[in-house]
Amino acid sequence: MDLFYNTVPTNRKRRVHFHAFMLDVHARINALRRTRASTSDPVPTIARELASDAYVLCFDEFQVTDIADAMVLRHLVTELFRNGVVIVTTSNRHPDELYKNGIQRESFMPCIELLKNKCEVVSLDSGTDYRKLARETESVYFSPITADTNKVLHALFGLASDNASIKDNAKLQFLGRSLAVPISANGVARFSFNQLCKEAHSAADYIELAKNYHTLMLTDVPVMHIADRNEARRFITLVDALYESHAVLIMSSETNIYKLFSGKHEDDTGLTTGKADSPLTVQEKGAMTYSGEEEVFAFQRAISRLVEMSSRNWIIGSRNQHLAENAMRQEIQRNNKKLSSSDQMRSAA
């Protein structure tokens, strides 16, 4: 996508993460509805505005998990094509799998068919997850959660912020609302999992955090089960936002990142409503299974990103100067040890 976007010979092009694109679209819809009659359809106007700005739209991570997005997209995609826009996108889902098992998915099916008719679908699945290839890593994820882990996090917060003065409950103002950051210092923000993923937050909140802080410390991340799929979805969206802004994530969790989402029920005793005399129907079981399937799939992508975000190269290339310099010193020390070891082997020979 980088290569394609950089070589397209036009200035009327736009590359954007899909979350950010949909936030922009919803903001435009709300703005038009405030200035027009409620019966007026804002989508054709928005499509024309988008087309006038860029006739090549490049999306990263095209995914549809929200009914509001699905209902807007089914009309917006039609209008974009009608205005001559070329859409190039990456996705972890084939078009046929978009919005799988979503509410009122049948209403979204025409959008899927339109994408398949207007776009060429190219599979780039080589079977290898290049983010997970062996590489030098930094210690940024810690489990299990212990007193020692908390001491390490405290020390890392100081390193990442260069021991700057701490602010309590700093406020981020955006989109007509505010987001309180419990603890922050010099571009580093600290939240507990409950504060950032259990409470109701949207992609807009996470994108704004990533814009304003180059490092996020997330503490006390639990193992998530099917019943926690809302929290799991928020966690995945948070990872996406941090990844896109090349932020650093420092995290303490109940277990390692590969086991954070089980895709099962917490008691692992079968699918029930919690009442011994009230088992779920077959349809309810199926719906819950499918819902969990979507989160399991999305979580695998998040794990892939988390692995890359723990690499030394990621930290060195990050916006956190202090962590980057520390990682570079470690890299130099590692290379010096290799050279020293090589010299000793030659001397022995």
Side-chain angles (χ1 to χ4, degrees), residues 136-170:
E136 293 294 326
T137 61
E138 291 291 296
S139 295
V140 288
Y141 308 143
F142 303 90
S143 64
I145 301 167
T146 64
D148 288 340
T149 297
N150 291 331
K151 289 179 183 177
V152 171
L153 290 180
H154 181 77
L156 267 177
F157 189 93
L159 174 64
S161 64
D162 197 28
N163 292 308
S165 299
I166 290 176
K167 297 179 182 178
D168 294 325
N169 292 314

mmCIF file of all heavy atoms in Angstrom, residues 136-170:
data_model
loop_
_atom_site.group_PDB
_atom_site.id
_atom_site.type_symbol
_atom_site.label_atom_id
_atom_site.label_comp_id
_atom_site.label_asym_id
_atom_site.label_seq_id
_atom_site.Cartn_x
_atom_site.Cartn_y
_atom_site.Cartn_z
ATOM 1 N N GLU A 136 14.693 -9.088 17.306
ATOM 2 C CA GLU A 136 15.069 -8.623 18.633
ATOM 3 C C GLU A 136 13.885 -7.893 19.262
ATOM 4 O O GLU A 136 13.256 -7.046 18.630
ATOM 5 C CB GLU A 136 16.272 -7.684 18.549
ATOM 6 C CG GLU A 136 17.555 -8.366 18.092
ATOM 7 C CD GLU A 136 18.049 -9.389 19.098
ATOM 8 O OE1 GLU A 136 17.874 -9.168 20.306
ATOM 9 O OE2 GLU A 136 18.600 -10.418 18.669
ATOM 10 N N THR A 137 13.582 -8.228 20.507
ATOM 11 C CA THR A 137 12.435 -7.628 21.169
ATOM 12 C C THR A 137 12.865 -6.810 22.376
ATOM 13 O O THR A 137 13.953 -6.978 22.911
ATOM 14 C CB THR A 137 11.435 -8.704 21.628
ATOM 15 O OG1 THR A 137 12.083 -9.570 22.568
ATOM 16 C CG2 THR A 137 10.924 -9.511 20.457
ATOM 17 N N GLU A 138 11.984 -5.919 22.769
ATOM 18 C CA GLU A 138 12.167 -5.130 23.988
ATOM 19 C C GLU A 138 11.172 -5.624 25.032
ATOM 20 O O GLU A 138 10.126 -6.190 24.699
ATOM 21 C CB GLU A 138 11.913 -3.651 23.697
ATOM 22 C CG GLU A 138 12.959 -3.008 22.806
ATOM 23 C CD GLU A 138 14.302 -2.876 23.508
ATOM 24 O OE1 GLU A 138 14.392 -2.147 24.496
ATOM 25 O OE2 GLU A 138 15.259 -3.522 23.037
ATOM 26 N N SER A 139 11.495 -5.423 26.296
ATOM 27 C CA SER A 139 10.591 -5.822 27.373
ATOM 28 C C SER A 139 9.558 -4.717 27.580
ATOM 29 O O SER A 139 9.813 -3.724 28.265
ATOM 30 C CB SER A 139 11.382 -6.070 28.665
ATOM 31 O OG SER A 139 12.256 -7.157 28.511
ATOM 32 N N VAL A 140 8.404 -4.888 26.944
ATOM 33 C CA VAL A 140 7.331 -3.901 27.092
ATOM 34 C C VAL A 140 6.025 -4.537 27.560
ATOM 35 O O VAL A 140 5.109 -3.824 27.972
ATOM 36 C CB VAL A 140 7.089 -3.135 25.774
ATOM 37 C CG1 VAL A 140 8.223 -2.164 25.487
ATOM 38 C CG2 VAL A 140 6.899 -4.087 24.603
ATOM 39 N N TYR A 141 5.931 -5.877 27.515
ATOM 40 C CA TYR A 141 4.748 -6.575 28.008
ATOM 41 C C TYR A 141 5.165 -7.441 29.197
ATOM 42 O O TYR A 141 6.150 -8.182 29.100
ATOM 43 C CB TYR A 141 4.133 -7.471 26.929
ATOM 44 C CG TYR A 141 3.867 -6.779 25.604
ATOM 45 C CD1 TYR A 141 4.065 -7.443 24.408
ATOM 46 C CD2 TYR A 141 3.410 -5.459 25.558
ATOM 47 C CE1 TYR A 141 3.833 -6.822 23.197
ATOM 48 C CE2 TYR A 141 3.176 -4.832 24.347
ATOM 49 C CZ TYR A 141 3.395 -5.513 23.164
ATOM 50 O OH TYR A 141 3.167 -4.889 21.966
ATOM 51 N N PHE A 142 4.390 -7.351 30.275
ATOM 52 C CA PHE A 142 4.774 -8.046 31.501
ATOM 53 C C PHE A 142 3.596 -8.835 32.059
ATOM 54 O O PHE A 142 2.481 -8.309 32.175
ATOM 55 C CB PHE A 142 5.262 -7.028 32.547
ATOM 56 C CG PHE A 142 6.405 -6.184 32.071
ATOM 57 C CD1 PHE A 142 6.181 -4.974 31.425
ATOM 58 C CD2 PHE A 142 7.716 -6.605 32.240
ATOM 59 C CE1 PHE A 142 7.224 -4.194 30.970
ATOM 60 C CE2 PHE A 142 8.778 -5.830 31.788
ATOM 61 C CZ PHE A 142 8.526 -4.622 31.156
ATOM 62 N N SER A 143 3.845 -10.085 32.378
ATOM 63 C CA SER A 143 2.828 -10.936 32.995
ATOM 64 C C SER A 143 3.541 -11.991 33.842
ATOM 65 O O SER A 143 4.701 -12.324 33.572
ATOM 66 C CB SER A 143 1.964 -11.623 31.917
ATOM 67 O OG SER A 143 2.771 -12.507 31.128
ATOM 68 N N PRO A 144 2.876 -12.522 34.875
ATOM 69 C CA PRO A 144 1.567 -12.095 35.390
ATOM 70 C C PRO A 144 1.674 -10.772 36.144
ATOM 71 O O PRO A 144 2.758 -10.191 36.232
ATOM 72 C CB PRO A 144 1.179 -13.234 36.320
ATOM 73 C CG PRO A 144 2.499 -13.748 36.829
ATOM 74 C CD PRO A 144 3.446 -13.629 35.667
ATOM 75 N N ILE A 145 0.570 -10.314 36.672
ATOM 76 C CA ILE A 145 0.537 -9.044 37.399
ATOM 77 C C ILE A 145 0.952 -9.294 38.847
ATOM 78 O O ILE A 145 0.265 -9.979 39.599
ATOM 79 C CB ILE A 145 -0.872 -8.428 37.346
ATOM 80 C CG1 ILE A 145 -1.283 -8.197 35.884
ATOM 81 C CG2 ILE A 145 -0.926 -7.121 38.133
ATOM 82 C CD1 ILE A 145 -2.745 -7.890 35.699
ATOM 83 N N THR A 146 2.092 -8.769 39.236
ATOM 84 C CA THR A 146 2.622 -8.951 40.584
ATOM 85 C C THR A 146 3.158 -7.624 41.095
ATOM 86 O O THR A 146 3.227 -6.629 40.365
ATOM 87 C CB THR A 146 3.766 -9.982 40.587
ATOM 88 O OG1 THR A 146 4.859 -9.453 39.799
ATOM 89 C CG2 THR A 146 3.315 -11.318 39.993
ATOM 90 N N ALA A 147 3.579 -7.621 42.352
ATOM 91 C CA ALA A 147 4.182 -6.418 42.927
ATOM 92 C C ALA A 147 5.456 -6.054 42.167
ATOM 93 O O ALA A 147 5.741 -4.874 41.927
ATOM 94 C CB ALA A 147 4.476 -6.641 44.407
ATOM 95 N N ASP A 148 6.226 -7.074 41.782
ATOM 96 C CA ASP A 148 7.456 -6.813 41.021
ATOM 97 C C ASP A 148 7.139 -6.204 39.660
ATOM 98 O O ASP A 148 7.850 -5.313 39.182
ATOM 99 C CB ASP A 148 8.250 -8.109 40.843
ATOM 100 C CG ASP A 148 8.901 -8.574 42.139
ATOM 101 O OD1 ASP A 148 9.070 -7.730 43.046
ATOM 102 O OD2 ASP A 148 9.227 -9.767 42.246
ATOM 103 N N THR A 149 6.089 -6.707 39.012
ATOM 104 C CA THR A 149 5.674 -6.154 37.721
ATOM 105 C C THR A 149 5.334 -4.673 37.858
ATOM 106 O O THR A 149 5.729 -3.850 37.025
ATOM 107 C CB THR A 149 4.448 -6.919 37.182
ATOM 108 O OG1 THR A 149 4.801 -8.281 36.954
ATOM 109 C CG2 THR A 149 3.948 -6.302 35.881
ATOM 110 N N ASN A 150 4.611 -4.335 38.926
ATOM 111 C CA ASN A 150 4.232 -2.939 39.136
ATOM 112 C C ASN A 150 5.460 -2.051 39.354
ATOM 113 O O ASN A 150 5.494 -0.895 38.918
ATOM 114 C CB ASN A 150 3.273 -2.825 40.315
ATOM 115 C CG ASN A 150 1.914 -3.433 40.002
ATOM 116 O OD1 ASN A 150 1.482 -3.454 38.857
ATOM 117 N ND2 ASN A 150 1.242 -3.957 41.018
ATOM 118 N N LYS A 151 6.483 -2.589 40.022
ATOM 119 C CA LYS A 151 7.722 -1.834 40.226
ATOM 120 C C LYS A 151 8.420 -1.571 38.889
ATOM 121 O O LYS A 151 8.924 -0.474 38.639
ATOM 122 C CB LYS A 151 8.653 -2.599 41.162
ATOM 123 C CG LYS A 151 8.190 -2.646 42.612
ATOM 124 C CD LYS A 151 9.159 -3.453 43.455
ATOM 125 C CE LYS A 151 8.676 -3.565 44.901
ATOM 126 N NZ LYS A 151 9.591 -4.413 45.716
ATOM 127 N N VAL A 152 8.427 -2.582 38.030
ATOM 128 C CA VAL A 152 9.045 -2.427 36.711
ATOM 129 C C VAL A 152 8.294 -1.376 35.894
ATOM 130 O O VAL A 152 8.905 -0.523 35.232
ATOM 131 C CB VAL A 152 9.067 -3.774 35.960
ATOM 132 C CG1 VAL A 152 9.509 -3.569 34.514
ATOM 133 C CG2 VAL A 152 9.997 -4.751 36.653
ATOM 134 N N LEU A 153 6.964 -1.412 35.943
ATOM 135 C CA LEU A 153 6.166 -0.431 35.207
ATOM 136 C C LEU A 153 6.448 0.984 35.709
ATOM 137 O O LEU A 153 6.529 1.928 34.917
ATOM 138 C CB LEU A 153 4.679 -0.746 35.335
ATOM 139 C CG LEU A 153 4.170 -1.997 34.612
ATOM 140 C CD1 LEU A 153 2.678 -2.161 34.833
ATOM 141 C CD2 LEU A 153 4.468 -1.941 33.128
ATOM 142 N N HIS A 154 6.576 1.127 37.022
ATOM 143 C CA HIS A 154 6.872 2.436 37.594
ATOM 144 C C HIS A 154 8.212 2.960 37.057
ATOM 145 O O HIS A 154 8.326 4.138 36.676
ATOM 146 C CB HIS A 154 6.910 2.342 39.118
ATOM 147 C CG HIS A 154 7.193 3.647 39.802
ATOM 148 N ND1 HIS A 154 6.237 4.636 39.952
ATOM 149 C CD2 HIS A 154 8.344 4.134 40.354
ATOM 150 C CE1 HIS A 154 6.783 5.672 40.567
ATOM 151 N NE2 HIS A 154 8.053 5.397 40.820
ATOM 152 N N ALA A 155 9.198 2.079 37.010
ATOM 153 C CA ALA A 155 10.516 2.477 36.505
ATOM 154 C C ALA A 155 10.450 2.811 35.018
ATOM 155 O O ALA A 155 11.065 3.789 34.553
ATOM 156 C CB ALA A 155 11.524 1.370 36.759
ATOM 157 N N LEU A 156 9.700 2.028 34.248
ATOM 158 C CA LEU A 156 9.577 2.277 32.815
ATOM 159 C C LEU A 156 8.846 3.585 32.528
ATOM 160 O O LEU A 156 9.171 4.280 31.563
ATOM 161 C CB LEU A 156 8.841 1.117 32.136
ATOM 162 C CG LEU A 156 9.703 0.002 31.554
ATOM 163 C CD1 LEU A 156 8.821 -1.104 30.991
ATOM 164 C CD2 LEU A 156 10.645 0.535 30.480
ATOM 165 N N PHE A 157 7.865 3.899 33.352
ATOM 166 C CA PHE A 157 7.152 5.178 33.173
ATOM 167 C C PHE A 157 8.143 6.335 33.330
ATOM 168 O O PHE A 157 8.116 7.299 32.553
ATOM 169 C CB PHE A 157 6.015 5.313 34.186
ATOM 170 C CG PHE A 157 5.111 6.487 33.922
ATOM 171 C CD1 PHE A 157 3.962 6.342 33.173
ATOM 172 C CD2 PHE A 157 5.413 7.747 34.431
ATOM 173 C CE1 PHE A 157 3.123 7.429 32.913
ATOM 174 C CE2 PHE A 157 4.596 8.841 34.176
ATOM 175 C CZ PHE A 157 3.442 8.675 33.416
ATOM 176 N N GLY A 158 9.014 6.219 34.327
ATOM 177 C CA GLY A 158 10.027 7.247 34.521
ATOM 178 C C GLY A 158 10.981 7.349 33.340
ATOM 179 O O GLY A 158 11.325 8.445 32.899
ATOM 180 N N LEU A 159 11.405 6.193 32.810
ATOM 181 C CA LEU A 159 12.316 6.188 31.662
ATOM 182 C C LEU A 159 11.635 6.786 30.438
ATOM 183 O O LEU A 159 12.206 7.629 29.732
ATOM 184 C CB LEU A 159 12.770 4.759 31.363
ATOM 185 C CG LEU A 159 13.611 4.561 30.095
ATOM 186 C CD1 LEU A 159 14.934 5.312 30.209
ATOM 187 C CD2 LEU A 159 13.862 3.068 29.848
ATOM 188 N N ALA A 160 10.409 6.351 30.175
ATOM 189 C CA ALA A 160 9.690 6.794 28.979
ATOM 190 C C ALA A 160 9.378 8.285 29.013
ATOM 191 O O ALA A 160 9.347 8.955 27.974
ATOM 192 C CB ALA A 160 8.406 5.993 28.809
ATOM 193 N N SER A 161 9.144 8.832 30.201
ATOM 194 C CA SER A 161 8.777 10.245 30.339
ATOM 195 C C SER A 161 9.956 11.111 30.723
ATOM 196 O O SER A 161 9.790 12.319 30.937
ATOM 197 C CB SER A 161 7.675 10.399 31.389
ATOM 198 O OG SER A 161 8.151 10.000 32.676
ATOM 199 N N ASP A 162 11.151 10.507 30.835
ATOM 200 C CA ASP A 162 12.349 11.228 31.265
ATOM 201 C C ASP A 162 12.141 11.850 32.642
ATOM 202 O O ASP A 162 12.630 12.952 32.933
ATOM 203 C CB ASP A 162 12.720 12.311 30.241
ATOM 204 C CG ASP A 162 14.162 12.802 30.402
ATOM 205 O OD1 ASP A 162 15.004 12.013 30.870
ATOM 206 O OD2 ASP A 162 14.423 13.967 30.070
ATOM 207 N N ASN A 163 11.378 11.120 33.484
ATOM 208 C CA ASN A 163 11.105 11.536 34.871
ATOM 209 C C ASN A 163 10.497 12.938 34.965
ATOM 210 O O ASN A 163 10.787 13.696 35.903
ATOM 211 C CB ASN A 163 12.388 11.464 35.709
ATOM 212 C CG ASN A 163 12.855 10.029 35.908
ATOM 213 O OD1 ASN A 163 12.084 9.172 36.329
ATOM 214 N ND2 ASN A 163 14.117 9.772 35.586
ATOM 215 N N ALA A 164 9.665 13.253 33.978
ATOM 216 C CA ALA A 164 8.995 14.555 33.987
ATOM 217 C C ALA A 164 7.912 14.596 35.069
ATOM 218 O O ALA A 164 7.482 13.553 35.575
ATOM 219 C CB ALA A 164 8.380 14.827 32.614
ATOM 220 N N SER A 165 7.472 15.798 35.389
ATOM 221 C CA SER A 165 6.415 15.961 36.397
ATOM 222 C C SER A 165 5.125 15.290 35.924
ATOM 223 O O SER A 165 4.746 15.395 34.752
ATOM 224 C CB SER A 165 6.158 17.446 36.656
ATOM 225 O OG SER A 165 7.318 18.072 37.155
ATOM 226 N N ILE A 166 4.462 14.629 36.858
ATOM 227 C CA ILE A 166 3.239 13.887 36.531
ATOM 228 C C ILE A 166 2.019 14.792 36.642
ATOM 229 O O ILE A 166 1.890 15.581 37.571
ATOM 230 C CB ILE A 166 3.095 12.673 37.470
ATOM 231 C CG1 ILE A 166 4.169 11.632 37.138
ATOM 232 C CG2 ILE A 166 1.703 12.054 37.352
ATOM 233 C CD1 ILE A 166 4.176 10.438 38.070
ATOM 234 N N LYS A 167 1.118 14.661 35.663
ATOM 235 C CA LYS A 167 -0.168 15.369 35.691
ATOM 236 C C LYS A 167 -1.276 14.365 35.993
ATOM 237 O O LYS A 167 -1.298 13.268 35.433
ATOM 238 C CB LYS A 167 -0.444 16.032 34.341
ATOM 239 C CG LYS A 167 0.547 17.109 33.948
ATOM 240 C CD LYS A 167 0.189 17.685 32.585
ATOM 241 C CE LYS A 167 1.200 18.735 32.140
ATOM 242 N NZ LYS A 167 0.869 19.271 30.787
ATOM 243 N N ASP A 168 -2.182 14.755 36.859
ATOM 244 C CA ASP A 168 -3.340 13.915 37.179
ATOM 245 C C ASP A 168 -4.566 14.416 36.440
ATOM 246 O O ASP A 168 -4.873 15.612 36.459
ATOM 247 C CB ASP A 168 -3.607 13.915 38.693
ATOM 248 C CG ASP A 168 -2.482 13.259 39.484
ATOM 249 O OD1 ASP A 168 -1.909 12.287 38.970
ATOM 250 O OD2 ASP A 168 -2.181 13.724 40.596
ATOM 251 N N ASN A 169 -5.256 13.486 35.789
ATOM 252 C CA ASN A 169 -6.531 13.776 35.122
ATOM 253 C C ASN A 169 -6.445 14.942 34.130
ATOM 254 O O ASN A 169 -7.286 15.841 34.128
ATOM 255 C CB ASN A 169 -7.623 14.049 36.158
ATOM 256 C CG ASN A 169 -7.969 12.809 36.953
ATOM 257 O OD1 ASN A 169 -8.155 11.731 36.389
ATOM 258 N ND2 ASN A 169 -8.044 12.948 38.271
ATOM 259 N N ALA A 170 -5.418 14.896 33.282
ATOM 260 C CA ALA A 170 -5.341 15.871 32.187
ATOM 261 C C ALA A 170 -6.514 15.638 31.241
ATOM 262 O O ALA A 170 -6.972 14.498 31.061
ATOM 263 C CB ALA A 170 -4.020 15.720 31.446
#
